[in-house]
PDB file of all heavy atoms in Angstrom:
ATOM      1  N   PHE W 274      19.931   8.322   9.076  1.00  0.00           N
ATOM      2  CA  PHE W 274      19.899   7.030   8.409  1.00  0.00           C
ATOM      3  C   PHE W 274      18.885   7.015   7.274  1.00  0.00           C
ATOM      4  O   PHE W 274      19.160   6.536   6.163  1.00  0.00           O
ATOM      5  CB  PHE W 274      19.569   5.922   9.413  1.00  0.00           C
ATOM      6  CG  PHE W 274      19.323   4.595   8.759  1.00  0.00           C
ATOM      7  CD1 PHE W 274      20.381   3.826   8.311  1.00  0.00           C
ATOM      8  CD2 PHE W 274      18.032   4.127   8.579  1.00  0.00           C
ATOM      9  CE1 PHE W 274      20.157   2.614   7.682  1.00  0.00           C
ATOM     10  CE2 PHE W 274      17.804   2.918   7.956  1.00  0.00           C
ATOM     11  CZ  PHE W 274      18.872   2.160   7.507  1.00  0.00           C
ATOM     12  N   LEU W 275      17.694   7.563   7.532  1.00  0.00           N
ATOM     13  CA  LEU W 275      16.649   7.590   6.501  1.00  0.00           C
ATOM     14  C   LEU W 275      17.062   8.458   5.317  1.00  0.00           C
ATOM     15  O   LEU W 275      16.789   8.102   4.168  1.00  0.00           O
ATOM     16  CB  LEU W 275      15.327   8.067   7.085  1.00  0.00           C
ATOM     17  CG  LEU W 275      14.682   7.107   8.081  1.00  0.00           C
ATOM     18  CD1 LEU W 275      13.441   7.734   8.688  1.00  0.00           C
ATOM     19  CD2 LEU W 275      14.366   5.766   7.445  1.00  0.00           C
ATOM     20  N   ARG W 276      17.720   9.590   5.589  1.00  0.00           N
ATOM     21  CA  ARG W 276      18.206  10.422   4.484  1.00  0.00           C
ATOM     22  C   ARG W 276      19.219   9.658   3.640  1.00  0.00           C
ATOM     23  O   ARG W 276      19.190   9.725   2.411  1.00  0.00           O
ATOM     24  CB  ARG W 276      18.819  11.712   5.018  1.00  0.00           C
ATOM     25  CG  ARG W 276      17.785  12.768   5.369  1.00  0.00           C
ATOM     26  CD  ARG W 276      18.432  14.123   5.615  1.00  0.00           C
ATOM     27  NE  ARG W 276      19.260  14.145   6.807  1.00  0.00           N
ATOM     28  CZ  ARG W 276      18.820  14.379   8.037  1.00  0.00           C
ATOM     29  NH1 ARG W 276      17.546  14.638   8.237  1.00  0.00           N
ATOM     30  NH2 ARG W 276      19.647  14.374   9.053  1.00  0.00           N
ATOM     31  N   MET W 277      20.111   8.926   4.292  1.00  0.00           N
ATOM     32  CA  MET W 277      21.115   8.144   3.557  1.00  0.00           C
ATOM     33  C   MET W 277      20.440   7.054   2.725  1.00  0.00           C
ATOM     34  O   MET W 277      20.819   6.824   1.578  1.00  0.00           O
ATOM     35  CB  MET W 277      22.126   7.535   4.528  1.00  0.00           C
ATOM     36  CG  MET W 277      23.045   8.566   5.145  1.00  0.00           C
ATOM     37  SD  MET W 277      24.106   7.898   6.464  1.00  0.00           S
ATOM     38  CE  MET W 277      24.776   6.435   5.727  1.00  0.00           C
ATOM     39  N   ALA W 278      19.473   6.380   3.297  1.00  0.00           N
ATOM     40  CA  ALA W 278      18.765   5.341   2.558  1.00  0.00           C
ATOM     41  C   ALA W 278      18.018   5.930   1.375  1.00  0.00           C
ATOM     42  O   ALA W 278      18.028   5.362   0.270  1.00  0.00           O
ATOM     43  CB  ALA W 278      17.798   4.600   3.478  1.00  0.00           C
ATOM     44  N   ALA W 279      17.371   7.067   1.586  1.00  0.00           N
ATOM     45  CA  ALA W 279      16.634   7.728   0.500  1.00  0.00           C
ATOM     46  C   ALA W 279      17.584   8.172  -0.602  1.00  0.00           C
ATOM     47  O   ALA W 279      17.289   8.033  -1.790  1.00  0.00           O
ATOM     48  CB  ALA W 279      15.851   8.925   1.041  1.00  0.00           C
ATOM     49  N   ASP W 280      18.757   8.686  -0.229  1.00  0.00           N
ATOM     50  CA  ASP W 280      19.755   9.095  -1.227  1.00  0.00           C
ATOM     51  C   ASP W 280      20.224   7.900  -2.044  1.00  0.00           C
ATOM     52  O   ASP W 280      20.368   7.984  -3.258  1.00  0.00           O
ATOM     53  CB  ASP W 280      20.947   9.774  -0.557  1.00  0.00           C
ATOM     54  CG  ASP W 280      20.634  11.163  -0.058  1.00  0.00           C
ATOM     55  OD1 ASP W 280      19.608  11.749  -0.478  1.00  0.00           O
ATOM     56  OD2 ASP W 280      21.423  11.675   0.769  1.00  0.00           O
ATOM     57  N   ALA W 281      20.462   6.786  -1.361  1.00  0.00           N
ATOM     58  CA  ALA W 281      20.913   5.580  -2.069  1.00  0.00           C
ATOM     59  C   ALA W 281      19.844   5.089  -3.040  1.00  0.00           C
ATOM     60  O   ALA W 281      20.142   4.716  -4.179  1.00  0.00           O
ATOM     61  CB  ALA W 281      21.270   4.489  -1.067  1.00  0.00           C
ATOM     62  N   TRP W 282      18.595   5.083  -2.586  1.00  0.00           N
ATOM     63  CA  TRP W 282      17.474   4.683  -3.448  1.00  0.00           C
ATOM     64  C   TRP W 282      17.400   5.573  -4.677  1.00  0.00           C
ATOM     65  O   TRP W 282      17.301   5.111  -5.807  1.00  0.00           O
ATOM     66  CB  TRP W 282      16.179   4.763  -2.646  1.00  0.00           C
ATOM     67  CG  TRP W 282      14.913   4.652  -3.427  1.00  0.00           C
ATOM     68  CD1 TRP W 282      14.277   5.662  -4.080  1.00  0.00           C
ATOM     69  CD2 TRP W 282      14.126   3.490  -3.664  1.00  0.00           C
ATOM     70  NE1 TRP W 282      13.132   5.206  -4.683  1.00  0.00           N
ATOM     71  CE2 TRP W 282      13.018   3.871  -4.447  1.00  0.00           C
ATOM     72  CE3 TRP W 282      14.233   2.167  -3.276  1.00  0.00           C
ATOM     73  CZ2 TRP W 282      12.044   2.970  -4.844  1.00  0.00           C
ATOM     74  CZ3 TRP W 282      13.259   1.273  -3.671  1.00  0.00           C
ATOM     75  CH2 TRP W 282      12.180   1.677  -4.454  1.00  0.00           C
ATOM     76  N   ALA W 283      17.439   6.870  -4.450  1.00  0.00           N
ATOM     77  CA  ALA W 283      17.282   7.841  -5.539  1.00  0.00           C
ATOM     78  C   ALA W 283      18.438   7.750  -6.527  1.00  0.00           C
ATOM     79  O   ALA W 283      18.233   7.825  -7.743  1.00  0.00           O
ATOM     80  CB  ALA W 283      17.186   9.254  -4.974  1.00  0.00           C
ATOM     81  N   THR W 284      19.651   7.587  -6.037  1.00  0.00           N
ATOM     82  CA  THR W 284      20.824   7.505  -6.904  1.00  0.00           C
ATOM     83  C   THR W 284      20.748   6.270  -7.792  1.00  0.00           C
ATOM     84  O   THR W 284      21.152   6.311  -8.957  1.00  0.00           O
ATOM     85  CB  THR W 284      22.110   7.487  -6.054  1.00  0.00           C
ATOM     86  OG1 THR W 284      22.161   8.705  -5.303  1.00  0.00           O
ATOM     87  CG2 THR W 284      23.345   7.393  -6.914  1.00  0.00           C
ATOM     88  N   ALA W 285      20.211   5.187  -7.259  1.00  0.00           N
ATOM     89  CA  ALA W 285      20.066   3.965  -8.052  1.00  0.00           C
ATOM     90  C   ALA W 285      19.003   4.130  -9.138  1.00  0.00           C
ATOM     91  O   ALA W 285      19.044   3.434 -10.155  1.00  0.00           O
ATOM     92  CB  ALA W 285      19.702   2.793  -7.144  1.00  0.00           C
ATOM     93  N   LYS W 286      18.066   5.037  -8.939  1.00  0.00           N
ATOM     94  CA  LYS W 286      16.962   5.205  -9.875  1.00  0.00           C
ATOM     95  C   LYS W 286      17.286   6.144 -11.038  1.00  0.00           C
ATOM     96  O   LYS W 286      16.809   5.941 -12.147  1.00  0.00           O
ATOM     97  CB  LYS W 286      15.724   5.750  -9.147  1.00  0.00           C
ATOM     98  CG  LYS W 286      15.111   4.792  -8.170  1.00  0.00           C
ATOM     99  CD  LYS W 286      14.330   3.768  -8.912  1.00  0.00           C
ATOM    100  CE  LYS W 286      13.489   2.934  -7.986  1.00  0.00           C
ATOM    101  NZ  LYS W 286      12.626   2.036  -8.700  1.00  0.00           N
TER     102      LYS W 286
END
Side-chain angles (χ1 to χ4, degrees):
F274 172 77
L275 292 175
R276 280 192 293 274
M277 289 172 49
D280 287 344
W282 168 276
T284 299
K286 292 283 190 174

